[in-house]
Every structure is written in C-alpha cells, then in structure tokens.
Amino acid sequence: MLVDPETVQGLQERVGRALPAEHVEYVGDWWLRRSVSSSWWVGTVLPHGSAGREELMGGIAVAERFYADFGVATRFQISPGACPGDLDPVLAERGYRRHSPMSLRTASPEEVRARARPGGLRIQLNEVPTTAWFDVWYAVGGRGSDPRAEWDMLRRVDRPSVYASALRGDEVVAVGRSVVDDGWAGVFSMATLPRARGEGAARDVLVSLADWASSRGADGMYLQVDGGNDPALRLYGSTGFTEVCGYHYRG
C-alpha cells in the first residue's frame, strides 16, 4: 500500500483537534498531549516530521520528561509515513511495547450514502451532545474512563461538530459524532447498544453524518477503527471506507 505522508499527517492532526487533550505542548512537529483522566489515546505523543537518530533520541527524552512531570506513562502513536522512519525501531530498542493496532480509513460522503443500507430509524442531530447521546456512547465505549473528563474533552472541541442519535421510538439506541476540519469530516464515537445491533442503526447514523458532512462542504470523511474489531471493519468496509494506512502505539 502506497502511503501519502501528507495525507496521513493531516488526518492524524485533525484527529488531534477532534479529540483534544487537556494540554498540548508542541516540540517541533511533535505534539506532546496530556490527558490524564479521559481515554488514554488522547494523551499520546503525535510524532510527525523527519529526524535523524540523534534528534530522535533528544525528542524521546523531552517526551519522557514531559509525561514524567505529570506522573503518567509515555506512549507514542506510530503512523507510517507521518512519523520519522527510525522512530519505531528506536522505541522498540528502548523497551516500548507495540500495541493497539488501528486502521485509518477514508470515504466520500457520496460513497457512504450510496453503499449504506439504512435501517430506517429516526435520526436526531444536535450541535452539542445530549445526556441521552452521551449515555449510549459511554455504555458502549466508555471503558471505565471518567465520564466527567470525557464531557470536558467534548467541550474542548472548537471545530464545527454534530452529534447523531438513532432512535427506536423515544429511546436512543445508536450514536455517532462528526467534526469538520478543513474539507474533511471525521467520524467518532460510533456506538450501538447490544440489543439494537444488526438492525441498521449504525448505518443510519453514518448516512446522517455523511449528509451533514456534505452540507458543511466536506469532500471526504475519515475514521479510525480498532484493527481487531471485525464487526466494525465489516461495517466500514461495506459503506465505502478504505484503508489509508494501519498504525499502532508504543508504550
């Protein structure tokens, strides 16, 4: 697979703005992100650009001091093409363990609308998250994180956003959100309650996000999905999302 470094870097930095950490320190092209209470991946190093081995060692040392000051572990996000080429093996030599393989995928709004087979649920769109929206997302994807910190993270998003809820009657059974940033609409927080799976609720949410993305002038959509989540990979593959690259973490 041919990886376009500019595309990967641009998308991953959009993710950084759609999942904003509590504190970000910029060191050259590297983003040192602190997020102690919310999901751990929000508080990882986003190391972009090119660097020789000596410069890499200096950058790693700066990152380790940054996280040590907050009393948390140092973790790096490793995206092919966007990261310095030697960073991954250097981190491995230093004992950083590779984990959490992910897939970065893109589609056009038109593809999503054409390929999704919606289930016909009623969709509600809000500019800010409702309690019902949050409760469904947290029940499926909260993974024991501090709900107050997750609310705070959502409040920090400063790009145009939408929160989609699929309703069965008056009950929210599936959710998702999207953030538009310079021509791209990111898809985040997709979650369906177990009792509503297999009914097309996630597809309904995706179509609504695609419609919204087009209305906000976005030509492309992107998302990140766990490389081991086969149901999600099938859903996104069937709705037109193709892989730009795989990436992983070191920590």
PDB file of all heavy atoms in Angstrom, residues 107-118 203-216 218-219 221 238-241:
ATOM      1  N   ALA A 107     -13.480   7.756   3.077  1.00  0.00           N
ATOM      2  CA  ALA A 107     -14.538   7.563   2.073  1.00  0.00           C
ATOM      3  C   ALA A 107     -15.069   8.935   1.713  1.00  0.00           C
ATOM      4  O   ALA A 107     -14.831   9.925   2.422  1.00  0.00           O
ATOM      5  CB  ALA A 107     -15.662   6.679   2.610  1.00  0.00           C
ATOM      6  N   SER A 108     -15.797   9.014   0.625  1.00  0.00           N
ATOM      7  CA  SER A 108     -16.507  10.253   0.310  1.00  0.00           C
ATOM      8  C   SER A 108     -17.914  10.166   0.878  1.00  0.00           C
ATOM      9  O   SER A 108     -18.472   9.071   1.021  1.00  0.00           O
ATOM     10  CB  SER A 108     -16.576  10.462  -1.206  1.00  0.00           C
ATOM     11  OG  SER A 108     -17.457   9.526  -1.799  1.00  0.00           O
ATOM     12  N   PRO A 109     -18.520  11.302   1.209  1.00  0.00           N
ATOM     13  CA  PRO A 109     -19.919  11.264   1.668  1.00  0.00           C
ATOM     14  C   PRO A 109     -20.838  10.582   0.661  1.00  0.00           C
ATOM     15  O   PRO A 109     -21.772   9.869   1.044  1.00  0.00           O
ATOM     16  CB  PRO A 109     -20.269  12.744   1.855  1.00  0.00           C
ATOM     17  CG  PRO A 109     -18.960  13.417   2.121  1.00  0.00           C
ATOM     18  CD  PRO A 109     -17.961  12.672   1.269  1.00  0.00           C
ATOM     19  N   GLU A 110     -20.562  10.796  -0.627  1.00  0.00           N
ATOM     20  CA  GLU A 110     -21.405  10.188  -1.653  1.00  0.00           C
ATOM     21  C   GLU A 110     -21.318   8.667  -1.612  1.00  0.00           C
ATOM     22  O   GLU A 110     -22.328   7.965  -1.768  1.00  0.00           O
ATOM     23  CB  GLU A 110     -20.991  10.696  -3.041  1.00  0.00           C
ATOM     24  CG  GLU A 110     -21.280  12.166  -3.285  1.00  0.00           C
ATOM     25  CD  GLU A 110     -20.293  13.098  -2.566  1.00  0.00           C
ATOM     26  OE1 GLU A 110     -19.213  12.623  -2.138  1.00  0.00           O
ATOM     27  OE2 GLU A 110     -20.616  14.286  -2.421  1.00  0.00           O
ATOM     28  N   GLU A 111     -20.090   8.135  -1.410  1.00  0.00           N
ATOM     29  CA  GLU A 111     -19.930   6.686  -1.312  1.00  0.00           C
ATOM     30  C   GLU A 111     -20.711   6.124  -0.133  1.00  0.00           C
ATOM     31  O   GLU A 111     -21.367   5.077  -0.234  1.00  0.00           O
ATOM     32  CB  GLU A 111     -18.451   6.335  -1.137  1.00  0.00           C
ATOM     33  CG  GLU A 111     -17.600   6.414  -2.375  1.00  0.00           C
ATOM     34  CD  GLU A 111     -16.160   6.051  -2.054  1.00  0.00           C
ATOM     35  OE1 GLU A 111     -15.511   6.795  -1.290  1.00  0.00           O
ATOM     36  OE2 GLU A 111     -15.699   5.015  -2.565  1.00  0.00           O
ATOM     37  N   VAL A 112     -20.622   6.796   0.991  1.00  0.00           N
ATOM     38  CA  VAL A 112     -21.313   6.303   2.182  1.00  0.00           C
ATOM     39  C   VAL A 112     -22.814   6.264   1.941  1.00  0.00           C
ATOM     40  O   VAL A 112     -23.485   5.264   2.256  1.00  0.00           O
ATOM     41  CB  VAL A 112     -20.957   7.174   3.401  1.00  0.00           C
ATOM     42  CG1 VAL A 112     -21.788   6.764   4.622  1.00  0.00           C
ATOM     43  CG2 VAL A 112     -19.470   7.071   3.713  1.00  0.00           C
ATOM     44  N   ARG A 113     -23.348   7.325   1.372  1.00  0.00           N
ATOM     45  CA  ARG A 113     -24.795   7.355   1.113  1.00  0.00           C
ATOM     46  C   ARG A 113     -25.207   6.280   0.112  1.00  0.00           C
ATOM     47  O   ARG A 113     -26.260   5.650   0.243  1.00  0.00           O
ATOM     48  CB  ARG A 113     -25.211   8.729   0.598  1.00  0.00           C
ATOM     49  CG  ARG A 113     -25.275   9.795   1.680  1.00  0.00           C
ATOM     50  CD  ARG A 113     -26.038  11.008   1.179  1.00  0.00           C
ATOM     51  NE  ARG A 113     -25.319  11.663   0.100  1.00  0.00           N
ATOM     52  CZ  ARG A 113     -24.474  12.671   0.272  1.00  0.00           C
ATOM     53  NH1 ARG A 113     -24.228  13.134   1.490  1.00  0.00           N
ATOM     54  NH2 ARG A 113     -23.870  13.234  -0.744  1.00  0.00           N
ATOM     55  N   ALA A 114     -24.363   6.046  -0.905  1.00  0.00           N
ATOM     56  CA  ALA A 114     -24.717   5.092  -1.952  1.00  0.00           C
ATOM     57  C   ALA A 114     -24.628   3.648  -1.469  1.00  0.00           C
ATOM     58  O   ALA A 114     -25.407   2.790  -1.898  1.00  0.00           O
ATOM     59  CB  ALA A 114     -23.804   5.290  -3.162  1.00  0.00           C
ATOM     60  N   ARG A 115     -23.688   3.369  -0.555  1.00  0.00           N
ATOM     61  CA  ARG A 115     -23.417   1.975  -0.183  1.00  0.00           C
ATOM     62  C   ARG A 115     -24.074   1.546   1.127  1.00  0.00           C
ATOM     63  O   ARG A 115     -24.252   0.356   1.370  1.00  0.00           O
ATOM     64  CB  ARG A 115     -21.911   1.751  -0.113  1.00  0.00           C
ATOM     65  CG  ARG A 115     -21.234   1.964  -1.468  1.00  0.00           C
ATOM     66  CD  ARG A 115     -19.768   1.661  -1.423  1.00  0.00           C
ATOM     67  NE  ARG A 115     -19.516   0.273  -1.024  1.00  0.00           N
ATOM     68  CZ  ARG A 115     -18.316  -0.300  -1.063  1.00  0.00           C
ATOM     69  NH1 ARG A 115     -17.275   0.405  -1.468  1.00  0.00           N
ATOM     70  NH2 ARG A 115     -18.153  -1.547  -0.678  1.00  0.00           N
ATOM     71  N   ALA A 116     -24.410   2.507   1.960  1.00  0.00           N
ATOM     72  CA  ALA A 116     -25.050   2.143   3.221  1.00  0.00           C
ATOM     73  C   ALA A 116     -26.489   1.694   2.957  1.00  0.00           C
ATOM     74  O   ALA A 116     -27.183   2.251   2.109  1.00  0.00           O
ATOM     75  CB  ALA A 116     -25.032   3.318   4.193  1.00  0.00           C
ATOM     76  N   ARG A 117     -26.915   0.676   3.682  1.00  0.00           N
ATOM     77  CA  ARG A 117     -28.303   0.216   3.596  1.00  0.00           C
ATOM     78  C   ARG A 117     -28.960   0.518   4.937  1.00  0.00           C
ATOM     79  O   ARG A 117     -28.961  -0.314   5.854  1.00  0.00           O
ATOM     80  CB  ARG A 117     -28.344  -1.282   3.300  1.00  0.00           C
ATOM     81  CG  ARG A 117     -27.729  -1.648   1.953  1.00  0.00           C
ATOM     82  CD  ARG A 117     -27.800  -3.132   1.695  1.00  0.00           C
ATOM     83  NE  ARG A 117     -27.110  -3.892   2.725  1.00  0.00           N
ATOM     84  CZ  ARG A 117     -25.781  -4.071   2.765  1.00  0.00           C
ATOM     85  NH1 ARG A 117     -25.023  -3.521   1.824  1.00  0.00           N
ATOM     86  NH2 ARG A 117     -25.227  -4.787   3.733  1.00  0.00           N
ATOM     87  N   PRO A 118     -29.507   1.723   5.050  1.00  0.00           N
ATOM     88  CA  PRO A 118     -30.014   2.153   6.359  1.00  0.00           C
ATOM     89  C   PRO A 118     -31.188   1.330   6.836  1.00  0.00           C
ATOM     90  O   PRO A 118     -31.928   0.734   6.057  1.00  0.00           O
ATOM     91  CB  PRO A 118     -30.407   3.617   6.115  1.00  0.00           C
ATOM     92  CG  PRO A 118     -30.601   3.725   4.639  1.00  0.00           C
ATOM     93  CD  PRO A 118     -29.669   2.753   4.015  1.00  0.00           C
ATOM     94  N   ARG A 203     -25.650   2.186  10.417  1.00  0.00           N
ATOM     95  CA  ARG A 203     -25.703   2.691   9.038  1.00  0.00           C
ATOM     96  C   ARG A 203     -26.554   3.962   8.957  1.00  0.00           C
ATOM     97  O   ARG A 203     -26.224   4.896   8.229  1.00  0.00           O
ATOM     98  CB  ARG A 203     -26.244   1.605   8.099  1.00  0.00           C
ATOM     99  CG  ARG A 203     -25.305   0.426   7.964  1.00  0.00           C
ATOM    100  CD  ARG A 203     -25.931  -0.710   7.158  1.00  0.00           C
ATOM    101  NE  ARG A 203     -25.041  -1.852   7.092  1.00  0.00           N
ATOM    102  CZ  ARG A 203     -24.095  -2.019   6.183  1.00  0.00           C
ATOM    103  NH1 ARG A 203     -23.945  -1.119   5.219  1.00  0.00           N
ATOM    104  NH2 ARG A 203     -23.317  -3.067   6.215  1.00  0.00           N
ATOM    105  N   ASP A 204     -27.648   3.972   9.685  1.00  0.00           N
ATOM    106  CA  ASP A 204     -28.464   5.186   9.733  1.00  0.00           C
ATOM    107  C   ASP A 204     -27.653   6.368  10.244  1.00  0.00           C
ATOM    108  O   ASP A 204     -27.744   7.485   9.721  1.00  0.00           O
ATOM    109  CB  ASP A 204     -29.679   4.970  10.634  1.00  0.00           C
ATOM    110  CG  ASP A 204     -30.742   4.082  10.013  1.00  0.00           C
ATOM    111  OD1 ASP A 204     -30.772   3.986   8.779  1.00  0.00           O
ATOM    112  OD2 ASP A 204     -31.526   3.494  10.764  1.00  0.00           O
ATOM    113  N   VAL A 205     -26.861   6.113  11.293  1.00  0.00           N
ATOM    114  CA  VAL A 205     -26.024   7.175  11.847  1.00  0.00           C
ATOM    115  C   VAL A 205     -24.998   7.633  10.821  1.00  0.00           C
ATOM    116  O   VAL A 205     -24.796   8.841  10.605  1.00  0.00           O
ATOM    117  CB  VAL A 205     -25.338   6.695  13.143  1.00  0.00           C
ATOM    118  CG1 VAL A 205     -24.278   7.700  13.587  1.00  0.00           C
ATOM    119  CG2 VAL A 205     -26.368   6.492  14.252  1.00  0.00           C
ATOM    120  N   LEU A 206     -24.339   6.690  10.151  1.00  0.00           N
ATOM    121  CA  LEU A 206     -23.327   7.050   9.156  1.00  0.00           C
ATOM    122  C   LEU A 206     -23.918   7.879   8.016  1.00  0.00           C
ATOM    123  O   LEU A 206     -23.303   8.854   7.566  1.00  0.00           O
ATOM    124  CB  LEU A 206     -22.667   5.793   8.592  1.00  0.00           C
ATOM    125  CG  LEU A 206     -21.553   5.161   9.426  1.00  0.00           C
ATOM    126  CD1 LEU A 206     -21.101   3.846   8.793  1.00  0.00           C
ATOM    127  CD2 LEU A 206     -20.366   6.107   9.574  1.00  0.00           C
ATOM    128  N   VAL A 207     -25.090   7.490   7.538  1.00  0.00           N
ATOM    129  CA  VAL A 207     -25.727   8.254   6.448  1.00  0.00           C
ATOM    130  C   VAL A 207     -26.035   9.669   6.915  1.00  0.00           C
ATOM    131  O   VAL A 207     -25.818  10.649   6.173  1.00  0.00           O
ATOM    132  CB  VAL A 207     -26.999   7.536   5.957  1.00  0.00           C
ATOM    133  CG1 VAL A 207     -27.808   8.450   5.034  1.00  0.00           C
ATOM    134  CG2 VAL A 207     -26.635   6.251   5.229  1.00  0.00           C
ATOM    135  N   SER A 208     -26.522   9.806   8.136  1.00  0.00           N
ATOM    136  CA  SER A 208     -26.833  11.151   8.632  1.00  0.00           C
ATOM    137  C   SER A 208     -25.560  11.990   8.755  1.00  0.00           C
ATOM    138  O   SER A 208     -25.577  13.197   8.455  1.00  0.00           O
ATOM    139  CB  SER A 208     -27.549  11.065   9.986  1.00  0.00           C
ATOM    140  OG  SER A 208     -26.678  10.651  11.025  1.00  0.00           O
ATOM    141  N   LEU A 209     -24.466  11.367   9.159  1.00  0.00           N
ATOM    142  CA  LEU A 209     -23.194  12.097   9.264  1.00  0.00           C
ATOM    143  C   LEU A 209     -22.673  12.459   7.873  1.00  0.00           C
ATOM    144  O   LEU A 209     -22.088  13.535   7.689  1.00  0.00           O
ATOM    145  CB  LEU A 209     -22.175  11.268  10.029  1.00  0.00           C
ATOM    146  CG  LEU A 209     -22.496  10.979  11.503  1.00  0.00           C
ATOM    147  CD1 LEU A 209     -21.395  10.141  12.140  1.00  0.00           C
ATOM    148  CD2 LEU A 209     -22.717  12.264  12.292  1.00  0.00           C
ATOM    149  N   ALA A 210     -22.881  11.577   6.897  1.00  0.00           N
ATOM    150  CA  ALA A 210     -22.466  11.880   5.525  1.00  0.00           C
ATOM    151  C   ALA A 210     -23.259  13.057   4.969  1.00  0.00           C
ATOM    152  O   ALA A 210     -22.706  13.954   4.310  1.00  0.00           O
ATOM    153  CB  ALA A 210     -22.633  10.652   4.637  1.00  0.00           C
ATOM    154  N   ASP A 211     -24.562  13.067   5.226  1.00  0.00           N
ATOM    155  CA  ASP A 211     -25.387  14.195   4.772  1.00  0.00           C
ATOM    156  C   ASP A 211     -24.905  15.493   5.411  1.00  0.00           C
ATOM    157  O   ASP A 211     -24.790  16.531   4.746  1.00  0.00           O
ATOM    158  CB  ASP A 211     -26.852  13.959   5.149  1.00  0.00           C
ATOM    159  CG  ASP A 211     -27.510  12.881   4.303  1.00  0.00           C
ATOM    160  OD1 ASP A 211     -27.007  12.595   3.201  1.00  0.00           O
ATOM    161  OD2 ASP A 211     -28.538  12.329   4.752  1.00  0.00           O
ATOM    162  N   TRP A 212     -24.639  15.436   6.713  1.00  0.00           N
ATOM    163  CA  TRP A 212     -24.180  16.635   7.415  1.00  0.00           C
ATOM    164  C   TRP A 212     -22.830  17.089   6.891  1.00  0.00           C
ATOM    165  O   TRP A 212     -22.602  18.293   6.693  1.00  0.00           O
ATOM    166  CB  TRP A 212     -24.102  16.348   8.914  1.00  0.00           C
ATOM    167  CG  TRP A 212     -23.633  17.516   9.725  1.00  0.00           C
ATOM    168  CD1 TRP A 212     -24.389  18.577  10.170  1.00  0.00           C
ATOM    169  CD2 TRP A 212     -22.300  17.763  10.185  1.00  0.00           C
ATOM    170  NE1 TRP A 212     -23.606  19.453  10.878  1.00  0.00           N
ATOM    171  CE2 TRP A 212     -22.314  18.981  10.901  1.00  0.00           C
ATOM    172  CE3 TRP A 212     -21.105  17.060  10.061  1.00  0.00           C
ATOM    173  CZ2 TRP A 212     -21.172  19.523  11.484  1.00  0.00           C
ATOM    174  CZ3 TRP A 212     -19.950  17.593  10.638  1.00  0.00           C
ATOM    175  CH2 TRP A 212     -20.005  18.810  11.344  1.00  0.00           C
ATOM    176  N   ALA A 213     -21.913  16.128   6.648  1.00  0.00           N
ATOM    177  CA  ALA A 213     -20.586  16.482   6.132  1.00  0.00           C
ATOM    178  C   ALA A 213     -20.696  17.229   4.805  1.00  0.00           C
ATOM    179  O   ALA A 213     -20.028  18.248   4.581  1.00  0.00           O
ATOM    180  CB  ALA A 213     -19.738  15.221   5.974  1.00  0.00           C
ATOM    181  N   SER A 214     -21.552  16.720   3.919  1.00  0.00           N
ATOM    182  CA  SER A 214     -21.744  17.396   2.624  1.00  0.00           C
ATOM    183  C   SER A 214     -22.305  18.797   2.816  1.00  0.00           C
ATOM    184  O   SER A 214     -21.892  19.749   2.135  1.00  0.00           O
ATOM    185  CB  SER A 214     -22.681  16.573   1.739  1.00  0.00           C
ATOM    186  OG  SER A 214     -22.085  15.377   1.340  1.00  0.00           O
ATOM    187  N   SER A 215     -23.226  18.938   3.755  1.00  0.00           N
ATOM    188  CA  SER A 215     -23.830  20.252   3.981  1.00  0.00           C
ATOM    189  C   SER A 215     -22.823  21.257   4.512  1.00  0.00           C
ATOM    190  O   SER A 215     -23.012  22.472   4.371  1.00  0.00           O
ATOM    191  CB  SER A 215     -25.010  20.128   4.951  1.00  0.00           C
ATOM    192  OG  SER A 215     -24.569  19.931   6.292  1.00  0.00           O
ATOM    193  N   ARG A 216     -21.749  20.744   5.139  1.00  0.00           N
ATOM    194  CA  ARG A 216     -20.701  21.627   5.656  1.00  0.00           C
ATOM    195  C   ARG A 216     -19.513  21.741   4.714  1.00  0.00           C
ATOM    196  O   ARG A 216     -18.465  22.266   5.082  1.00  0.00           O
ATOM    197  CB  ARG A 216     -20.216  21.130   7.016  1.00  0.00           C
ATOM    198  CG  ARG A 216     -21.287  21.056   8.097  1.00  0.00           C
ATOM    199  CD  ARG A 216     -22.010  22.391   8.296  1.00  0.00           C
ATOM    200  NE  ARG A 216     -21.139  23.436   8.761  1.00  0.00           N
ATOM    201  CZ  ARG A 216     -21.211  24.033   9.938  1.00  0.00           C
ATOM    202  NH1 ARG A 216     -22.141  23.648  10.797  1.00  0.00           N
ATOM    203  NH2 ARG A 216     -20.386  24.999  10.278  1.00  0.00           N
ATOM    204  N   ALA A 218     -17.625  19.354   3.244  1.00  0.00           N
ATOM    205  CA  ALA A 218     -16.557  18.356   3.340  1.00  0.00           C
ATOM    206  C   ALA A 218     -16.624  17.417   2.141  1.00  0.00           C
ATOM    207  O   ALA A 218     -17.675  16.858   1.834  1.00  0.00           O
ATOM    208  CB  ALA A 218     -16.682  17.570   4.634  1.00  0.00           C
ATOM    209  N   ASP A 219     -15.484  17.227   1.472  1.00  0.00           N
ATOM    210  CA  ASP A 219     -15.414  16.319   0.334  1.00  0.00           C
ATOM    211  C   ASP A 219     -15.043  14.902   0.752  1.00  0.00           C
ATOM    212  O   ASP A 219     -15.232  13.957  -0.020  1.00  0.00           O
ATOM    213  CB  ASP A 219     -14.371  16.813  -0.679  1.00  0.00           C
ATOM    214  CG  ASP A 219     -14.749  18.156  -1.267  1.00  0.00           C
ATOM    215  OD1 ASP A 219     -15.941  18.356  -1.553  1.00  0.00           O
ATOM    216  OD2 ASP A 219     -13.849  19.007  -1.432  1.00  0.00           O
ATOM    217  N   MET A 221     -14.562  11.913   4.183  1.00  0.00           N
ATOM    218  CA  MET A 221     -14.802  11.500   5.557  1.00  0.00           C
ATOM    219  C   MET A 221     -13.665  10.561   5.964  1.00  0.00           C
ATOM    220  O   MET A 221     -13.079   9.877   5.126  1.00  0.00           O
ATOM    221  CB  MET A 221     -16.149  10.780   5.687  1.00  0.00           C
ATOM    222  CG  MET A 221     -17.338  11.621   5.277  1.00  0.00           C
ATOM    223  SD  MET A 221     -18.911  10.687   5.316  1.00  0.00           S
ATOM    224  CE  MET A 221     -19.153  10.466   7.085  1.00  0.00           C
ATOM    225  N   SER A 238     -18.069  -2.095   4.128  1.00  0.00           N
ATOM    226  CA  SER A 238     -19.279  -2.185   3.301  1.00  0.00           C
ATOM    227  C   SER A 238     -19.890  -0.828   3.003  1.00  0.00           C
ATOM    228  O   SER A 238     -20.737  -0.712   2.110  1.00  0.00           O
ATOM    229  CB  SER A 238     -20.317  -3.072   3.988  1.00  0.00           C
ATOM    230  OG  SER A 238     -20.828  -2.453   5.162  1.00  0.00           O
ATOM    231  N   THR A 239     -19.489   0.202   3.734  1.00  0.00           N
ATOM    232  CA  THR A 239     -20.031   1.542   3.494  1.00  0.00           C
ATOM    233  C   THR A 239     -19.029   2.459   2.789  1.00  0.00           C
ATOM    234  O   THR A 239     -19.208   3.668   2.756  1.00  0.00           O
ATOM    235  CB  THR A 239     -20.495   2.188   4.817  1.00  0.00           C
ATOM    236  OG1 THR A 239     -19.440   2.111   5.791  1.00  0.00           O
ATOM    237  CG2 THR A 239     -21.719   1.490   5.353  1.00  0.00           C
ATOM    238  N   GLY A 240     -17.974   1.852   2.209  1.00  0.00           N
ATOM    239  CA  GLY A 240     -17.089   2.606   1.332  1.00  0.00           C
ATOM    240  C   GLY A 240     -15.792   3.089   1.930  1.00  0.00           C
ATOM    241  O   GLY A 240     -14.987   3.713   1.230  1.00  0.00           O
ATOM    242  N   PHE A 241     -15.545   2.821   3.205  1.00  0.00           N
ATOM    243  CA  PHE A 241     -14.308   3.285   3.823  1.00  0.00           C
ATOM    244  C   PHE A 241     -13.167   2.323   3.490  1.00  0.00           C
ATOM    245  O   PHE A 241     -13.230   1.131   3.793  1.00  0.00           O
ATOM    246  CB  PHE A 241     -14.460   3.395   5.342  1.00  0.00           C
ATOM    247  CG  PHE A 241     -15.275   4.571   5.782  1.00  0.00           C
ATOM    248  CD1 PHE A 241     -16.645   4.468   5.947  1.00  0.00           C
ATOM    249  CD2 PHE A 241     -14.663   5.803   6.015  1.00  0.00           C
ATOM    250  CE1 PHE A 241     -17.405   5.558   6.349  1.00  0.00           C
ATOM    251  CE2 PHE A 241     -15.407   6.901   6.410  1.00  0.00           C
ATOM    252  CZ  PHE A 241     -16.784   6.783   6.575  1.00  0.00           C
TER     253      PHE A 241
END
